[in-house]
Structure formats: structure tokens, C-alpha cells
Amino acid sequence: MKRPTMKDVARAAGVSPMTVSRVVAGEAGVAPETAARVGQAVRKLGYQRNDNARSLRQKNLGTSTIGLVVDDLANPFYALMARSVEDEAHRRGHVVLVGSTNDEPQREREVIAAFTARQVDGLIIVPTIGSHAFLKRQMAGGTQVVCVDRPARGLAVDTVTVDNRAAAMRAVTHLLGHGHTRIAYLGDRFDIWTQAERYAGYLDALAAHGIPEDPALVRHELRSHPQARDALAVLRTLPEPPTALFTSNDLITLGVLDGLDHPAPLALVGFDDLPLGERLTPPLTVVSQDPVALGGTAANLLFSRIAGDRSAPRSVVLLTRFVVRGSGEFRTAAG
Amino acid sequence: MKRPTMKDVARAAGVSPMTVSRVVAGEAGVAPETAARVGQAVRKLGYQRNDNARSLRQKNLGTSTIGLVVDDLANPFYALMARSVEDEAHRRGHVVLVGSTNDEPQREREVIAAFTARQVDGLIIVPTIGSHAFLKRQMAGGTQVVCVDRPARGLAVDTVTVDNRAAAMRAVTHLLGHGHTRIAYLGDRFDIWTQAERYAGYLDALAAHGIPEDPALVRHELRSHPQARDALAVLRTLPEPPTALFTSNDLITLGVLDGLDHPAPLALVGFDDLPLGERLTPPLTVVSQDPVALGGTAANLLFSRIAGDRSAPRSVVLLTRFVVRGSGEFRTAAG
DNA sequence: TTGAAAGCGCTAACAA
DNA sequence: TTGTTAGCGCTTTCAA
């Protein structure tokens, strides 16, 4: 039982395939009765146009398909972003191919290759580390590209990020303002752009207060909940342990929460909000990003490129919110 | 600057397009030096095969694209499911089109139509209410369909769900076992299958204990966090207010948490776990589903159908876990 | 207003 | 081992 083609519909309606094409595409210039006859045949046979064949012929219209490449779709942050992109695409009659990279350049290239092989009109990418110069060829072929969350190395395209460095500086300054001088930094892979930015913000804040960096208080490469938890346990065994923590993403914040209150509570400010963060005791003080705005902005940029905008690449920086709720307002014993 | 085609590569390598096709497809029977020449031309031109054109010609191979249609991709539950489906697809060299329905049959049909127009090999669907008989035509045309989370009305296909009714009964029985007799039910739209099942489980538990249902304690149609919060506020004004709550999904649990401890704490068991549920005070007692297993199972079923399995539709019921953590173990004043 | 011919990029089937 | 021909389902172009 094969699916019917335009030829089948044409035969059933006693017209040529070309006429069916016009009716299905909603073009003017078909006699009303002819259109009605075709419409009936379409319904009778359950005909649906093959849009892949269509876009093969119509090179100017594209495939009405875009690709979204994120770090990890299961991360609520990227899930919200994806939903936002999907909504923008849906509004414009596009569909979305989605793929996760796990921050692995290898998998990113596979995913992007699979998407471009299907002739996507554009890509929204959360770039992994590693050069993205290979995308220049795709772009020369007409594929539009927008980066979100992080810039891509070696590729000048529209990019949407947040004010990572300034926000991190503000968060750490907040802790300094509450009397803390021994503030630990717990971060993910340093080669991830957002992490490097946030670490730089941490250093900015210390420097502004004339506090030298203590390498013993800095932990990078924390890739999981347990690793973050264990890193905190180690920090607590130091001769001069930290009295406050700055955690540079949601996963690390989650891990750190396990050991936060025992034996003694530590002050904590995290980057990224958590769903129930306000209901914890104490409620979490965080730097909050808006993934919906990130995704929506990226999608809007992409669609204006797809619509033909060829102006110079733009860089959009969205602002974070600093949300004071309690966990960052513990004073030190000394303070 | 158009993207190169096989013809361009053929010209550059001094062979016919057919030879290029064979080399790119990795077929045997091409002389090594010829293959090398073609390979060089491919790299020089940055050639990438147009897989849409390919699958137009090769009807037996399909498009290596599947569609995933969920309620709301931004919901962490479905995001985890989506990631799980994506991983299974990636392993098999497929890509995933993803769309959200918002539980609107209209949007669901649009999304599904957009996917089938692009000749997806199969669909994994979280069905909205409303008949899905319209999918029979797609299936006759060769599109495989698997349902997940809920069954589709009017369509006999592989379906993966959890033991909603039994799990809800167990949860409510747990509250009864702690002395509660006035247990409120707070649920989402009753026409959503999972909600009806969970409500049935609630009634089962009451009936098993010989407790008559009190309609004043039952609230359906709670579609958002604020609605759930307000519903609880109303319940607290009853002459005989509930001493315990059963909330039938994560969104409702979140809303109810706002008013749970004031003025007096109520016992609470929720359906669906929340990311930080174990760190609340008191920690949440919940029925926990495994979205990764749901998605993975659905994907496996779908890919075996795509591979040619034509056996009778299967119905797979995965088990939930009941996680006792504190919020459901308050005793009543009376108990 | 309708249709015939050609071709998008690729590959099945055949021939050389 | 390589190439030729035809055609997947559709639309552009042109003619009727």
C-alpha cells in the first residue's frame, strides 16, 4: 500500500498533475470546479504532498526545516530554550530537528552533518569547544547559522549570550559584601566559554577587593553532581576552609547542596536558577538566566537571516537577574 | 555560491556521477585509485550528499528521520524522554524532528502533518485527547507509530505507559495508612488519560478502605501552578478541610507547595518526582516515573517496527517507584 | 485556465 | 569496473 502521489490524484480527478500541484499549493488561476474536483480526489485518496520532493525542485523556498544543536536536551535549561525555538519555528511554518552534543566536538559534527545533509535552512547551535570554521562551507552553500549561549571559535555569525562575566562578578561581590574573604569557586570544564567567563568574573570581584586568589579554593572540571559534592568535601578539610561558595552552573549547585549544611552552613550563590530553588532552606540566591529569551532571540535572528538579511553578524548580550533569597546572605563568624 | 552536486564532483574527478554515488555510499566494486580521485574531489569541493534527494529515489531505505511529538518539550519529564529517544535514534543513524502539542489536538495534527510531509520513517507520540484514527492512513502509507505516556484513542499501535492507576492507589493508601480520611485529590484535565487513571486509583484506595468520596475534596482541571495553589486555598476554607493531599502531576505539586505549610502543614504525596524534591522540608514523598526508560522503550519498539517487525501491537507497562521521604508521613491530629 | 516537457539530485537496473 | 538510461515526486517554464 504505497502512499498516493500527485499523479494518482490527477488520474482520480481527471486532470494533469500540474493542476493538482496548483490546487495543493493554493495557487490562483484554477477554475473553481476543477479545484473542487481535485480537492475531492485529495480527500478520497488521503493525499499528502511530499515536501521533500517539493523542496528538491523549488530551490528558492528551502525545506522549512531548521536544526537545533544543544549541549544536552535533558538539561532543563536547554529544554526551555528548545521549546522557545520550536514555538518560533512553528509560528513560521518550520519544523525543528534537534540534537545533543554532550560537549563532544565529534558528536557535534555528526549531528550537524546529518542536519545539513537534509538541507536545513538554518542551524541554531550551542557550540562545543573546538573550531567551527568547518561551518563556513555550509554557510557558503546557503545554510544560515546562529550561535546561542556561547560564541563559536573561528566563525563570525550572529551570537546570543548573557553577561556571564559581569554577573559572576556581581555574585561574588555580593558574598564579599557580606564579609566573606575565603570564597571558593566550583566550576565545570574551563575550556567551556561560559565557565571561563564566569571564572574571570570571580577573579574580577576578588581583585576589586584586593583579595589575592587562593588556588586551593578553585576547582574546575566538575562534570557531575557527585564530583561537585566531593569537591566541596575536600574544600572543607582545608586548614582554612572557605566560608562561602560560588558555583558556576546548576549541576554543580545541586551537587554542592548535598554537603552545604554539615557540619556548618556555608554561604552559597549559584549561577543558574533551579526549579525549586526558592523553596529550599535557605532559599537559593542565584544568577538567573532566561533560556526562553535566549532561544527566542536566536530564533528571530535565524529567521531574519533565512528571510534574506545579509547584514554584518550581530552579537546580542542578554542580561541576567541576580536573585537574593537567603543562601548567599550568611555572614561569616568573623564578619 | 550553490552547493556542489554529484555532477560537479564527477566532473572534477573525471568520472560519471554514478561512480561518485558508489564511492560516497561506500559501495564495493570501485577501483581504489578511482575512489581516491573521487575522494579528493569530494574534499576539494566540500561536497556533501543531499540525503533528501537520495531518499526520494531509494524508497526502501527511508529518510532516517523520526518524529517525536510530546505535550511540552519544556517540561523536564518530556525533555528527559526526548533526550532518551534522541540517543537511541543517534545510535541508529537517525535524526529526530521534535514538536510540542500543548495538549491541543489542532496543533498535534499540524505537527504530525508537517512531519509526515517530510516522509519520517516513524513517529513517537504522546497523544492528545481526541481520536487518532486519522493516523491509520499514514500507517497504511508505511509510517510506523508508537505511543508513549498515554494510549491513543482509535488506534491500535505499540504503547508504552506506566501503572498510573495502581501507583495512585498505592500513594493514597499510604496516606490512609497514616490515619488520614479526608484526602483531597488535585488533578489536571480529566480528559487526559493519565489523569483519569490516577483519579481512578485515588477512588480505588478510598473504596478499599470503605471511605465514601467527598466531591468537595476533588479538584480537576488544574492547568497551572497558580490554579493549583488557589485550589488548595479554597480547600482549606472548607468546614471540614482535608488533612492530606494527593497531587496528580508535578506542576500541581509545585503549586500546592506554596500553601502547604500555612497555616498548618498538610500531608502530601505527589505523582512525578521533582528535581529538588528530596531537599525540601519536609522532603517530598512521590510516585516516581522513569522518563528515560519510557522514551528508550518507545524508541526501541519504533525502530523494530521500522526494521520490519509486523507483529501484533504490544502494550508495555513500566513500573513506577514509590519514594517515601517525609511529606506523606504526617499523622493527623486525630490519628 | 490547463497541460507537456524538462529537470531538481540522486540511485536502480541494466549494458558495456 | 564503469557508464547510460530512466525515474523517484514534484514544480518551473513555456505553449496551447
Side-chain angles (χ1 to χ4, degrees), chain A residues 16 18-19 22 30-31 34 56-57:
Chain A
S16 79
M18 199 50 235
T19 300
R22 290 194 249 260
V30 179
T34 314
L56 179 62
R57 192 65 176 84

Side-chain angles (χ1 to χ4, degrees), chain A residues 57 66 74 96 102 126 149 204 223 235 243 264 278 285 321:
Chain A
R57 192 65 176 84
I66 64 170
V96 182
N102 287 335
V126 176
D149 191 45
D204 289 346
R223 300 287 300 155
L235 287 170
T243 61
E278 59 189 349
T285 291
R321 281 185 315 126

